[in-house]
Amino acid sequence: MTLPVEWHRLVVRGDARGTLIPVELGRDVPFPTARVYFISGTMAGVRRGFHAHRALTQLAVCITGSCRFLLDDGASKVEVALDAPGCGVLVRPMIWHEMYDFSSDCVLAVFADGPYDESDYVRDYAEFASLAGAAR
Ligand code: TYD
């Protein structure tokens, strides 16, 4: 079965002055949010991510610009484009993800349900594939 993509869109308040994206934690993010970080200035041709999280759930939202995500559950892969303000995708635990094709103006906001914890990362694809296979 193809990996289901869980889209999550934030409401964009735009007017002639520009765009405003409000985020009320506990209402607009579908899990209790412990951390928010922002990714910007990633050059065209750079690919980042290359990991899965053992337990962390995240929501990655395009604020401006565009990029693409590869999501991989170890059995199937899907590519998605975050290419409009407010457009977001959930990244569940044990989903290998890579991010690429960043436009020069791309800003991503990433909401996470836990603090930064290096021990939660699986950075080796062979280990990820083995863990994902064992969980099936
Ligand atoms: P990294 O995980 O390599 O980014 P990506 O997954 O997008 O390729 O993180 C880049 C750096 O930022 C690295 O030194 C770890 C640090 N970092 C934090 O300090 N806190 C955080 O919440 C995150 C996500 C990363």
Side-chain angles (χ1 to χ4, degrees):
M1 195 180 87
T2 309
L3 169 60
V5 177
E6 295 179 78
W7 294 105
H8 187 87
R9 187 170 289 279
L10 296 179
V11 172
V12 177
R13 308 279 176 201
D15 61 29
R17 299 169 298 168
T19 297
L20 190 155
I21 302 176
V23 186
E24 294 204 14
L25 306 177
R27 185 193 70 181
D28 299 326
V29 177
F31 48 75
T33 302
R35 174 168 54 114
V36 187
Y37 59 94
F38 303 90
I39 297 174
S40 62
T42 299
M43 307 290 282
V46 170
R47 212 168 164 105
R48 60 188 306 163
F50 293 97
H51 62 257
H53 288 281
R54 298 173 199 277
L56 191 75
T57 296
Q58 300 189 99
L59 170 67
V61 181
C62 175
I63 302 302
T64 193
S66 62
C67 71
R68 294 176 68 79
F69 268 63
L70 170 73
L71 303 173
D72 176 353
D73 66 2
S76 64
K77 303 178 190 204
V78 65
E79 288 184 277
V80 299
L82 298 188
D83 56 3
C87 175
V89 67
L90 273 173
V91 183
R92 297 275 184 193
M94 291 309 292
I95 299 293
W96 183 269
H97 50 287
E98 299 173 19
M99 297 160 270
Y100 50 97
D101 284 355
F102 284 83
S103 64
S104 58
D105 61 344
C106 182
V107 178
L108 288 183
V110 185
F111 302 86
D113 70 352
Y116 177 70
D117 174 9
E118 187 58 38
S119 69
D120 187 62
Y121 282 70
V122 184
R123 293 191 183 274
D124 178 73
Y125 189 84
E127 182 190 0
F128 162 73
S130 166
L131 290 168
R136 273 195 295 277

